[in-house]
Amino acid sequence: MGGLHYCWMVVALMAVGVGMVRTWAAVWWRPRKMETHFARQGVRGPPYRLFIGNVREIVSLMMQATSRPMSPSHNILPRVLSFYHHWKKIYGRTFLIWFGPTPRLTVADPDLIREIFVSKSECYEKNESHPLVRQLEGDGLLSLKGEKWAHHRRIISPTFHMENLKVLIPAMGQSVVEMVEKWESEASQSGAGEKEVDVSECFQSLTEEIITRTAFGVSFEDGKSIFGLQTQQMLFAAEAFNKVFVPGYRFLPTKRNAETRRLDRDIKKSLVDLIHKRQEKSESGDNVSERNQDLLGRMIAASDRPATGRPCGSPGVAITVQDIVEECKTFFFAGKQTTSNLLTWTTVLLAMHPEWQEAARAEVIRHCGCRAVPTKDSVARLKTMSMILNESLRLYPPAVATIRRAKSDVSLGPYRIPAGMELLIPILAVHHDPRLWGSDATEFNPGRFADGVARAAKHPMSFIPFGLGPRTCIGQNLALLQAKLVLAILLQRFSFRPSPSYKHAPTVLMLLYPQHGAPILFTPLKPCRHSDQHSHLDRSL
């Protein structure tokens, strides 16, 4: 008996020893080896610190940068990506940084970015999102990899073809008109004759309604209640995300954590129930063509048939109910946040730059009229609006950075990248680089896009708000169409300027958003007569 006890003690000690060796290798030996590997290639960075890497310095720089609002300037890189701005001045655009014992190589050279996203995209994969983010964005296209990602994208892509999206314009326009008519009424009732609106909040509600209609179509009301739950979940997650550097925080038995988990269960259960209801109607043959026009209908139709050349149920290929649940969550989170952020920052920019607001209004009136809801054809002719939206995406991209992981040992330009290495692409820094965009890189100048995106900068890979290559954002057509429509209707009916209470404070919390909101003052315009419209356009031209 004593011998058996001794053997167990030896096994336990060996297990502890192996664990200690692995821990030592992970937090000390491998980081030192990685530093040496890149130092030999001329790449350096802030020194690695045991266990925490550079997290302490990163948090300190971020807190210092966001402690107070900035002047109304578009030079937001020092505030938003303060750690990159600080260390780039010391180590150059390509340097090594440590998030705990995990190294990341910053890559801001457009030629290297082309390799990562386009010419060698098969060598890299999307990095795993933080669990808090993944719970919100779902396990859909944003996080899927390999064959399953490709299969899902093929199924979902037709939903976002421009011809399919254009049929949504009347419904989207009606939602916007209802919103602005309420603003007009409230402005006329106020003594000042204007209406103050926090557009960051209003655009969240507006895009939520449109995204829900796109995802659920004929099941709009059911979908709206489900995504109402996810909105609550997002608020809780945003609060918890401030504690992202507290190890294991999401596992603590706090009231907020418990509520977030409950909401996640309720969302999944409600989506499953809705999917089953739609499947039953599909089996009965009731209005199949109508239901298949929305995202949910297309996913359900795909779950009823195997992929071409593959038997139904093949691993990683078949579309399951759980897959549909995760794609719906992904679509709502990514679609709502990206579009509302684009609308918010573009409205702020037009409020700050009245000369471009006037130019955009003249174009809208010329192609869409004074008060009529724009049509699909008139929206397509808004070239100045496209330039403004691109400049907004350049200065204030919703995602300020992205991460890719090397799937195997690979060459990246002059660098040798080991398998598993993470690459941090600072999108905001690329968009604000004077070497790519000229001396006015931090100024609002939509005219730089007059000849198209490819010729706006000195390198065609300098503009990446929606990513590049095979994983380019699938919903960018919907985001841009919706933004054009909303802004066109606003410009028809209002002039607007920043409220005196507006504080310019771009901040990152998953995406780029205004830390203190975006209060804008809207003044209703008098409806122009046909003759007035032409005289106004003659002056603008």
Side-chain angles (χ1 to χ4, degrees), residues 116-249:
I116 295 169
F117 287 104
V118 183
S119 61
K120 294 184 179 179
S121 61
E122 72 280 0
C123 299
Y124 303 94
E125 62 185 4
K126 194 175 185 295
N127 194 45
E128 294 278 343
S129 300
H130 186 277
L132 282 173
V133 178
R134 191 156 186 169
Q135 186 180 55
L136 282 172
E137 68 183 20
D139 200 11
L141 279 181
L142 285 177
S143 56
L144 291 176
K145 303 172 185 177
E147 186 179 8
K148 187 171 183 177
W149 167 82
H151 183 49
H152 281 217
R153 187 168 178 112
R154 282 194 297 271
I155 293 167
I156 296 172
S157 287
T159 305
F160 297 98
H161 290 168
M162 188 55 73
E163 289 306 311
N164 287 336
L165 293 177
K166 285 178 179 178
V167 302
L168 297 173
I169 286 181
M172 289 193 290
Q174 184 60 37
S175 297
V176 183
V177 168
E178 290 174 1
M179 179 184 74
V180 298
E181 285 182 347
K182 180 181 178 182
W183 294 1
E184 287 176 321
S185 174
E186 292 173 350
S188 65
Q189 294 172 13
S190 69
E194 57 187 4
K195 166 72 174 176
E196 180 174 298
V197 177
D198 185 343
V199 293
S200 63
E201 292 184 2
C202 282
F203 289 151
Q204 288 268 344
S205 300
L206 179 65
T207 54
E208 177 181 322
E209 180 172 336
I210 294 173
I211 290 294
T212 307
R213 193 176 300 280
T214 308
F216 290 106
V218 295
S219 304
F220 171 72
E221 291 301 329
D222 291 331
K224 191 173 182 179
S225 64
I226 292 170
F227 284 154
L229 295 174
Q230 193 177 24
T231 298
Q232 296 178 47
Q233 186 187 39
M234 288 168 63
L235 295 174
F236 292 155
E239 180 181 315
F241 204 73
N242 289 321
K243 304 175 179 67
V244 70
F245 292 112
V246 179
Y249 174 80

Side-chain angles (χ1 to χ4, degrees), residues 34 37-38 103-105 107 115-116 120-128 145 403-412 415-425:
M34 194 68 71
H37 172 79
F38 281 101
R104 287 177 183 162
L105 184 70
V107 178
E115 287 190 40
I116 295 169
K120 294 184 179 179
S121 61
E122 72 280 0
C123 299
Y124 303 94
E125 62 185 4
K126 194 175 185 295
N127 194 45
E128 294 278 343
K145 303 172 185 177
I403 300 171
R404 291 292 184 268
R405 179 189 289 123
K407 295 161 68 174
S408 58
D409 292 351
V410 62
S411 295
L412 178 64
Y415 307 114
R416 299 186 309 279
I417 308 298
M421 182 70 188
E422 295 182 359
L423 307 176
L424 173 67
I425 297 91

